[in-house]
Amino acid sequence: DGPEALRMAQQQLPDVIVSDVMMPGFDGVELALRLRAQPETRSIALLLLTAKVGSEHAVAGLEAGADDYLAKPFDAAELLARVAALLARARRLQMRIAAAPRPLPRDDSNTRWMQRLEQHIDAQLHDSAFDVEALARAMHLDRSALFRHLKQHTALGPAELLRERRLLRAQALLREGAGSVTEIAFAVGFDSLSGFTRAFRGHFGHPPSDLLPKSAGR
């Protein structure tokens, strides 16, 4: 039903929601309106299932903020393809946001080695697969040597530094209004919106949506 769907969306912050238009509580059109009215959920991709193509429900759903619709009865393969297309479109937007890495302010105590390390990180922040192992390879070190070198310059370990740089980049992008919370989360290398929101709140003490410009759309 509609109220339960909204509650789950707020708690879990999924990447995609597939919803019927007709359901108890309130319908899929109202669900779209309520999702788009909240900063934390306005960027979740939404696909509505409608009684027939071109129905008033489909039009109303799209006007309310749904990203796509599919007529019933539908083929499961087509549904999966449409969901994949929604995710791919979001990824392309996120990659464009992250295409030009921005240098962040550095501490004066950073050495050339530390600056080179940060340059490698900043250039790969959009890639969720860029982890400690990849960073060590980029610096021509093994994990242990990377950890030892890093401890000479900062109190953070490699994994902590990667996460901090991603969160700082996200903070800068949010303040610039460079995209939605979801787009920026993936643009800085997080695999899920919920994981990004938890990490951001834990680091800065407030949700990422607090930094969005008041006029920011979905």
Side-chain angles (χ1 to χ4, degrees), residues 12-13 19 31 51 71 76 99-101 115 145 157 161:
Q12 300 179 21
L13 297 177
S19 172
L31 176 63
Q115 291 174 5
L161 180 62

Short mmCIF file of all heavy atoms in Angstrom, two decimals, residues 12-13 19 31 51 71 76 99-101 115 145 157 161:
data_model
loop_
_atom_site.label_atom_id
_atom_site.label_comp_id
_atom_site.label_asym_id
_atom_site.label_seq_id
_atom_site.Cartn_x
_atom_site.Cartn_y
_atom_site.Cartn_z
N GLN A 12 14.85 2.89 3.79
CA GLN A 12 15.83 2.10 3.05
C GLN A 12 16.52 2.88 1.93
O GLN A 12 17.59 2.49 1.47
CB GLN A 12 15.17 0.85 2.48
CG GLN A 12 14.57 -0.05 3.53
CD GLN A 12 13.89 -1.27 2.95
OE1 GLN A 12 14.16 -1.67 1.81
NE2 GLN A 12 12.99 -1.87 3.70
N LEU A 13 15.92 3.97 1.46
CA LEU A 13 16.46 4.78 0.37
C LEU A 13 16.96 3.90 -0.79
O LEU A 13 18.14 3.89 -1.12
CB LEU A 13 17.60 5.66 0.89
CG LEU A 13 17.20 6.69 1.95
CD1 LEU A 13 18.42 7.44 2.45
CD2 LEU A 13 16.16 7.66 1.41
N SER A 19 6.28 0.43 -8.66
CA SER A 19 5.03 0.52 -7.92
C SER A 19 3.83 0.43 -8.84
O SER A 19 3.83 1.00 -9.94
CB SER A 19 4.98 1.84 -7.14
OG SER A 19 3.70 2.03 -6.56
N LEU A 31 2.11 8.58 -4.33
CA LEU A 31 3.43 8.15 -3.88
C LEU A 31 4.52 8.94 -4.59
O LEU A 31 5.48 9.41 -3.96
CB LEU A 31 3.62 6.66 -4.14
CG LEU A 31 5.00 6.09 -3.79
CD1 LEU A 31 5.30 6.23 -2.30
CD2 LEU A 31 5.10 4.62 -4.22
N ALA A 51 -2.55 0.39 -15.95
CA ALA A 51 -3.51 -0.53 -16.57
C ALA A 51 -3.32 -0.62 -18.07
O ALA A 51 -3.43 -1.69 -18.66
CB ALA A 51 -4.94 -0.09 -16.24
N ALA A 71 2.95 -0.74 -19.04
CA ALA A 71 1.56 -1.19 -19.06
C ALA A 71 1.47 -2.66 -18.65
O ALA A 71 2.34 -3.47 -18.93
CB ALA A 71 0.98 -1.00 -20.45
N ALA A 76 8.45 -9.75 -17.97
CA ALA A 76 9.44 -9.55 -16.92
C ALA A 76 10.76 -9.04 -17.48
O ALA A 76 11.43 -8.21 -16.85
CB ALA A 76 9.67 -10.86 -16.15
N ALA A 99 33.29 14.17 -13.72
CA ALA A 99 34.25 14.10 -14.83
C ALA A 99 35.46 15.00 -14.63
O ALA A 99 36.55 14.71 -15.11
CB ALA A 99 33.55 14.48 -16.14
N ALA A 100 35.28 16.11 -13.92
CA ALA A 100 36.38 17.05 -13.73
C ALA A 100 36.72 17.13 -12.25
O ALA A 100 36.12 17.91 -11.51
CB ALA A 100 36.01 18.44 -14.25
N PRO A 101 37.65 16.31 -11.80
CA PRO A 101 37.99 16.30 -10.37
C PRO A 101 38.41 17.68 -9.89
O PRO A 101 39.12 18.40 -10.58
CB PRO A 101 39.16 15.30 -10.28
CG PRO A 101 39.01 14.45 -11.50
CD PRO A 101 38.44 15.34 -12.56
N GLN A 115 50.59 14.89 -1.61
CA GLN A 115 49.87 15.54 -2.70
C GLN A 115 49.66 14.59 -3.86
O GLN A 115 48.60 14.57 -4.48
CB GLN A 115 50.64 16.79 -3.14
CG GLN A 115 50.63 17.90 -2.10
CD GLN A 115 51.51 19.07 -2.48
OE1 GLN A 115 52.06 19.11 -3.58
NE2 GLN A 115 51.66 20.03 -1.58
N ALA A 145 52.98 -1.04 3.25
CA ALA A 145 53.85 0.12 3.02
C ALA A 145 53.01 1.39 2.88
O ALA A 145 53.39 2.46 3.37
CB ALA A 145 54.71 -0.10 1.79
N GLY A 157 43.88 6.03 8.34
CA GLY A 157 44.32 4.91 7.54
C GLY A 157 43.88 5.10 6.10
O GLY A 157 43.08 6.00 5.80
N LEU A 161 40.90 7.54 4.82
CA LEU A 161 41.21 8.69 3.97
C LEU A 161 40.37 8.68 2.71
O LEU A 161 39.84 9.72 2.29
CB LEU A 161 42.70 8.68 3.60
CG LEU A 161 43.15 9.85 2.70
CD1 LEU A 161 42.95 11.19 3.41
CD2 LEU A 161 44.61 9.68 2.29
#
